[in-house]
Amino acid sequence: MGAGVSSAISDDSVDGVFKHRSSRRRKLEDIPENCIALVLGHLDPPQICRLACLNRAFRGASSADFIWDSKLPINYSFIIQKISSQFSEEINNNNSNNINNEGDQEDNRYVDYPVYTTKKDIFARLSRPNLFDAGTKEIWVDKKTGGIWLSISSKGLSINGINDRRCWNHIPTDESRFQTIAYLVQIWWFEVCGEVDFKFPTGTYSLFFRLQLGKSSKRFGRRTCNMDHIHGWDVKPVQLQLSTSDGQQAASQHYLDNPGSWVLYHGGDFVVKDSNKITKVKFSARQIDCTHTKGGLSLDNVLICPKSVAKDVR
């Protein structure tokens, strides 16, 4: 009899309790969004975006402002102000062109102004390259680290002899993020200077000059590099220098080499201690030994990035 009762209970447990529990088993989408959001806050943005594709709960949790607020640089409002002024300038130019065209006046009402409704929208906008200062500078936020990357084009630099076409030429190319480079044919006094005023987040930054010996182009769909004008760079090194508004200085020297390839030459590092203050960074590249000429050099841009990731871009 005991065996029969035991058997009946066992059968009832299997058919009743276990089946009941199985029918109430929690699914992934049953996890509260606030709990999911707390977990997502510990991941980097690419991981968050991948998990957002799992289901509706993860997608909703991934849009929580407190998640993306921690991924944004502390001075993101300053960056938005910078790129928004560039956007407004482009809109004004487009509107002026439209007014000058017959029948286009009505189109001005339908211009898409950038609207940032969530911190996720802001991060998505800043993680893409954004031009400012009349298109001579570009800034973006690293998707993994949230660090600031800043690039200054050759047209945003002060170049000795740039207006003399016997010395320098601006050449369009898809090898530059600015779609143009400055090419040096020949000169006695090589000097390139620049400066940038910016509210950098606290941290250590590295500065690079992106240079190439030779003039690259495409022929029949293939990349070629003209090296006919390369000379003078093996006689004396190029002196790279930087200084900041709070008194920091750095210098390095490099013999330019590796013809036909773009090289990032390290100019130095600087430290930002207060993200609420504008830091002025001045930099230069010089080879001013006038005992010989030098030429055949392509100048693309100057790059400033967090030192922690500098080794990955070299």
Side-chain angles (χ1 to χ4, degrees):
M1 181 176 177
V5 172
S6 176
S7 176
I9 293 174
S10 177
D11 292 341
D12 181 63
S13 297
V14 173
D15 295 338
V17 178
F18 290 162
K19 285 185 179 180
H20 179 64
R21 287 179 180 175
S22 177
S23 66
R24 296 186 59 185
R25 184 176 298 166
R26 293 290 185 181
K27 298 180 181 179
L28 201 58
E29 55 265 28
D30 294 329
I31 304 176
E33 283 191 10
N34 59 341
C35 295
I36 298 174
L38 289 173
V39 175
L40 296 181
H42 295 280
L43 306 179
D44 60 43
Q47 293 172 326
I48 295 173
C49 293
R50 284 195 292 270
L51 289 176
C53 298
L54 285 176
N55 55 49
R56 184 179 298 175
F58 274 78
R59 186 163 57 253
S62 68
S63 298
D65 270 355
F66 78 88
I67 294 178
W68 296 99
D69 192 45
S70 64
K71 311 303 178 186
L72 286 166
I74 194 170
N75 65 333
Y76 73 88
S77 58
F78 174 81
I79 302 174
I80 291 176
Q81 182 182 3
K82 280 283 188 181
I83 65 176
S84 295
S85 61
Q86 172 72 20
F87 186 87
S88 298
E89 183 179 337
E90 293 174 358
I91 292 298
N92 291 334
N93 290 338
N94 289 338
N95 286 349
S96 298
N97 292 335
N98 286 339
I99 290 174
N100 293 332
N101 294 329
E102 213 173 274
D104 288 341
Q105 289 85 343
E106 294 297 322
D107 296 336
N108 298 332
R109 298 176 300 171
Y110 304 106
V111 175
D112 289 330
Y113 288 90
V115 177
Y116 308 115
T117 57
T118 66
K119 296 291 180 65
K120 182 179 180 181
D121 291 337
I122 296 174
F123 187 91
R125 183 69 172 90
L126 297 185
S127 63
R128 301 195 302 269
N130 297 278
L131 293 170
F132 66 101
D133 277 4
T136 61
K137 296 181 180 67
E138 193 172 55
I139 188 170
W140 65 99
V141 174
D142 187 89
K143 292 181 180 179
K144 287 189 175 181
T145 65
I148 292 293
W149 293 62
L150 182 64
S151 183
I152 303 98
S153 77
S154 58
K155 289 188 175 181
L157 304 173
S158 175
I159 303 175
N160 180 47
I162 190 63
N163 295 322
D164 189 343
R165 292 182 62 84
R166 296 171 299 175
C167 300
W168 290 91
N169 294 308
H170 284 293
I171 300 175
T173 175
D174 59 3
E175 294 188 0
S176 168
R177 63 186 316 111
F178 295 96
Q179 303 301 307
T180 183
I181 63 164
Y183 177 69
L184 174 63
V185 180
Q186 179 173 288
I187 204 167
W188 291 90
W189 186 291
F190 171 74
E191 184 174 27
V192 177
C193 301
E195 64 180 52
V196 60
D197 298 330
F198 204 81
K199 284 186 180 180
F200 291 95
T202 55
T204 303
Y205 294 84
S206 296
L207 183 143
F208 299 91
F209 282 81
R210 189 171 188 254
L211 308 173
Q212 175 188 255
L213 289 179
K215 180 173 65 174
S216 56
S217 60
K218 283 189 176 180
R219 186 176 183 182
F220 304 116
R222 293 187 177 182
R223 184 182 189 271
T224 62
C225 190
N226 186 332
M227 304 183 187
D228 293 343
H229 298 131
I230 300 175
H231 68 282
W233 303 109
D234 55 347
V235 180
K236 292 286 182 68
V238 174
Q239 306 288 335
L240 305 183
Q241 295 180 325
L242 74 81
S243 63
T244 64
S245 52
D246 59 357
Q248 299 179 66
Q249 294 185 354
S252 63
Q253 58 181 20
H254 304 269
Y255 283 97
L256 306 188
D257 55 10
N258 203 8
S261 298
W262 289 102
V263 179
L264 287 169
Y265 292 94
H266 185 217
D269 301 330
F270 63 95
V271 179
V272 176
K273 296 181 179 180
D274 189 349
S275 59
N276 294 317
K277 291 184 179 180
I278 289 181
T279 301
K280 179 188 285 290
V281 182
K282 294 183 177 181
F283 47 87
S284 64
R286 294 184 176 93
Q287 213 282 36
I288 56 178
D289 184 349
C290 292
T291 61
H292 65 283
T293 62
K294 61 282 297 179
L297 177 68
S298 294
L299 167 62
D300 182 10
N301 64 66
V302 172
L303 176 68
I304 299 175
C305 67
K307 185 179 180 179
S308 59
V309 296
K311 61 181 180 180
D312 298 330
V313 302
R314 300 186 70 177

